[in-house]
Amino acid sequence: MTQSQLIQHFSAPDRKITVAKLGHQLKRENFSLRELVDLTFHTDKEIALKSSRLLEYILYKFPENYYSDLEYFIDHAEDVTTPANKKPYAKILMRITSPEVSREVRNKMKEINLERVVELCFEWMIDPKMLVSVRASASEALFNMRHRYPWIAEELSKQLEFMTRTATPILLAKCNYILSYLHPED
């Protein structure tokens, strides 16, 4: 499948193929992750959103198949402007920084400078207008990166404690969960 075929697929109103089936097909065909990332910035917001959701599925399910292009994804994460597209990007950042990903992905992530991603996650997390799911995923991504950048733990703890004052129930649960690991003695 080419990028233009994928755009046609997303544009067809009668297509009801699931993200999972399409994700597996793109994996089988070794579809370029770079091209999919580029599609998440398409001028048609619907195509951009569908591309973001597909990107999330692929990098959630098969990150080891695309670890060589993770830096490209990282380099473009800060370019996301629409809240709906930030949700898949935040979930991907949470996933690829997780200690539960494959060794290949963890090793690749060690090679990538993540300082801008750390800043981006803090921006998303503290923005009260940001979608709750983006804020929660960004906070977990920061938690995952705390060993690489030790200063994150203290700043994350401060921000989460501040956020708990006005957090929604879902965000409050995420804040308390992370804080329980940052302050296990409490």
Side-chain angles (χ1 to χ4, degrees), residues 88-155:
Y89 268 76
K91 286 181 78 174
I92 293 167
L93 289 171
M94 179 184 72
R95 173 72 173 145
I96 64 177
T97 58
S98 169
E100 297 171 9
V101 295
S102 67
R103 180 171 302 195
E104 295 93 0
V105 174
R106 283 195 314 267
N107 289 338
K108 182 62 179 179
M109 292 303 289
K110 288 176 186 175
E111 297 171 10
I112 300 171
N113 181 346
L114 298 176
E115 289 178 14
R116 182 60 195 126
V117 169
V118 170
E119 292 174 27
L120 181 65
C121 286
F122 271 115
E123 288 172 20
W124 288 353
M125 184 186 80
I126 64 175
D127 183 353
K129 296 177 184 171
M130 188 65 61
L131 295 171
V132 169
S133 58
V134 173
R135 296 175 77 191
S137 294
S139 63
E140 190 167 335
L142 288 165
F143 177 76
N144 293 340
M145 293 184 280
R146 76 192 184 285
H147 295 299
R148 181 162 176 185
Y149 301 103
W151 63 268
I152 289 176
E154 184 178 344
E155 186 62 28

Side-chain angles (χ1 to χ4, degrees), residues 28-87:
R28 272 192 317 274
E29 296 177 9
N30 294 318
F31 189 82
S32 167
L33 185 75
R34 291 171 182 249
E35 289 184 28
L36 188 54
V37 168
D38 291 345
L39 276 178
T40 67
F41 299 101
H42 196 276
T43 54
D44 181 323
K45 291 184 192 289
E46 200 60 35
I47 290 173
L49 181 58
K50 289 177 181 179
S51 299
S52 293
R53 289 178 178 160
L54 183 58
L55 179 67
E56 176 191 345
Y57 181 83
I58 285 174
L59 285 179
Y60 225 84
K61 291 295 241 181
F62 319 112
E64 61 282 346
N65 291 71
Y66 300 97
Y67 74 93
S68 62
D69 285 327
L70 286 176
E71 191 164 6
Y72 189 79
F73 165 79
I74 296 289
D75 289 344
H76 289 81
E78 67 184 305
D79 299 332
V80 180
T81 57
T82 60
N85 286 10
K86 287 179 183 180
K87 183 178 177 181

Side-chain angles (χ1 to χ4, degrees), residues 7-42:
I7 290 170
Q8 281 181 318
H9 176 80
F10 287 149
S11 300
D14 58 333
R15 293 272 172 103
K16 298 294 181 199
I17 190 167
T18 65
V19 169
K21 285 183 182 179
L22 192 53
H24 283 276
Q25 179 182 348
L26 294 183
K27 178 188 172 253
R28 272 192 317 274
E29 296 177 9
N30 294 318
F31 189 82
S32 167
L33 185 75
R34 291 171 182 249
E35 289 184 28
L36 188 54
V37 168
D38 291 345
L39 276 178
T40 67
F41 299 101
H42 196 276

